[in-house]
Amino acid sequence: MSKQEKTVHDVEEYFQERGPTVTFSNLHYCVQEKRFCCKRGPEKCILKDVSGIMRPGINAIMGATGSGKTSLLDVIAGRKDPAGLRQGKVLVDGKVVTSDLRLSSAYVVQDDILMGTLSVRENLLFSANLRLSPKHHSSADKKSRVDAIIQDLGLTDCADTKIGTEFLRGVSGGERKRCSIGMELITSPSLLFLDEPTTGLDSNTANCIISLLHNLTRRGKTVIFSIHQPRYSIFRQFDHLTLMHKGEVVYAGAADHALEYFTNLGYQIEPFNNPADFFMDVTNGEAKSTLETLTADSTNSLATKYRESQLCQSVLEELDHVNQSIADGAKGQNKAADYATSFLYQIRVVCGRTVLNILRNPQTSYGQLALNIFFAVLVGLIYFQMPLTLPEALQNRSGAFFFLIINMVFGNLSAVELFINERAIFIHENSSGYYRTSVYFLSKIFADLIPNRIIPIFIFSAIAYYMMGLNPGFVSFLLFCPDHVPGQSGRSRAGLPRLSECIYICHG
Ligand SMILES: Nc1ncnc2c1ncn2[C@@H]1O[C@H](COP(=O)(O)OP(=O)(O)OP(=O)(O)O)[C@@H](O)[C@H]1O
């Protein structure tokens, strides 16, 4: 066996039977702050020399608000703009990862991003349909997997309840969170990232969610999440703890050794105090150390102390070994993940959801229709039964066509709102590998075009056309309609040079 083959073999052996292990070394992540719209402000380093190893089990990233927990989670999950990564690398199972990691792992975002008009079961089925390959999973298989997840997550009672929108009260916060986790568990990912899974939940629900994650890790999964300040029953389920302060690591190691580590640094926990609260007090500088070196500016020197500790040195040595093996030959072994389903299959599923969403949330369509009828009657009354004699015929028609076109253009600006409302859902689902970008936009166009654009335009045109007294022939009317569907022909929008043509069509 050559040296190179041996090294590759070593790396594989290192990670065998351990499940996915995430290693990251020397991460420096910076963002460019923006000033006054486009002027670039100073660069801000939000992660400074962050290194660590996260093995199968519960890996918690703890810290005060703004300490860089989410940034660290996003960088290791491949969800941050790679341009900001000034230094360092992230490896999964000893292989260099690219942003394709997002397709093979799962990420539960902090704000539950779910389609509110669909029920818990329908949301889970949507995820199953798009993320499980139809080649390997039949419809019945997907349904039974959804049923199993509903049962595992304790969602049986609300399985057929809608998630809820601003108009419709749906499931509770805890049930939403469990549904969000279920959406990601559908693919049985071996690596699961969660951004603050307990924020906004009562302590009991939070405990249930962490226990659920704990059970997953007992099946060999690697769970990595950020968390603010957990209660003790949650804290004691952590296997590994990374404590962050101002973008630096102040402790990374076994969660049950953290107390001993800080006690050795001269910090004393009060009787009956929650260790998680105590660690926050230490990092925030509210707890005082008896060590002289830490009393002056304890928060900054905590990161230095950690870097000098034996704990950090052994992590760095291990990372050196892994990184060296990568340099020697394990490069390029990371297979690019692909979408589980074909383009046409994605179009079918996403279109189906969009249509269902429009049918269950018809307010926008009703509003569009009412507005069109109102303006059609208004234009019809202003230009009621136009005369056929010149010059009035030409003047009235040019005025009427101007009104019609303005109404069409501004009436259809509401289409932009569709994308704004669902922006968060699209970004999350697209980056999690549910579907291609083009699929979302095409399905929106297909599903939105008929109920919200074409039908209202025909109703608008019919009312205004016949009230204005234009050519009553049906063929003339049909020729008039597409002229007013924005983006269809643009002939009327071209303006007066074509006006004679319009008058000819409408009056024969
Ligand atoms: N794109 C950005 N532009 C400017 N500053 C940023 C950007 N992203 C993160 N930051 C800053 O980096 C720091 C860490 O942010 P991050 O969201 O990682 O903190 P956090 O510990 O997750 O906080 P929280 O618990 O409140 O979510 C914060 O001070 C934040 O303002």
Side-chain angles (χ1 to χ4, degrees), residues 31-33 44 46-47 63-72 80 110 195-196 226 228:
V31 288
Q32 190 90 46
E33 286 186 287
K44 182 178 173 188
I46 55 178
L47 291 180
T65 174
S67 58
K69 304 180 293 292
T70 306
S71 303
L72 176 60
K80 271 262 191 231
Q110 187 177 351
D195 188 13
E196 300 190 16
S226 62
H228 260 289

Side-chain angles (χ1 to χ4, degrees), residues 434-450:
Y434 282 63
Y435 44 71
R436 296 158 178 88
T437 309
S438 53
V439 166
Y440 177 79
F441 285 96
L442 284 175
S443 71
K444 265 288 170 218
I445 289 169
F446 292 148
D448 176 62
L449 206 64
I450 295 171

Side-chain angles (χ1 to χ4, degrees), residues 267 282 284-289 293-303:
Y267 293 98
V282 169
N284 290 335
E286 279 161 32
K288 298 287 171 236
S289 167
T293 47
L294 280 168
T295 44
D297 183 4
S298 62
T299 52
N300 273 347
S301 41
L302 271 176

Side-chain angles (χ1 to χ4, degrees), residues 29 257 276 280:
Y29 193 88
H257 288 165
M280 287 295 107

Side-chain angles (χ1 to χ4, degrees), residues 408-480:
M408 294 300 148
V409 172
F410 285 99
N412 282 291
L413 281 183
S414 64
V416 175
E417 192 212 344
L418 283 173
F419 296 111
I420 296 171
N421 284 348
E422 285 181 18
R423 188 174 163 270
I425 290 191
F426 163 70
I427 291 176
H428 169 63
E429 293 179 344
N430 180 251
S431 57
S432 298
Y434 282 63
Y435 44 71
R436 296 158 178 88
T437 309
S438 53
V439 166
Y440 177 79
F441 285 96
L442 284 175
S443 71
K444 265 288 170 218
I445 289 169
F446 292 148
D448 176 62
L449 206 64
I450 295 171
N452 290 342
R453 314 290 144 203
I454 294 179
I455 293 175
I457 295 286
F458 267 86
I459 292 173
F460 174 88
S461 302
I463 297 171
Y465 188 87
Y466 288 104
M467 279 183 80
M468 288 191 294
L470 300 176
N471 189 348
F474 189 61
V475 177
S476 302
F477 169 68
L478 284 184
L479 286 169
F480 167 88

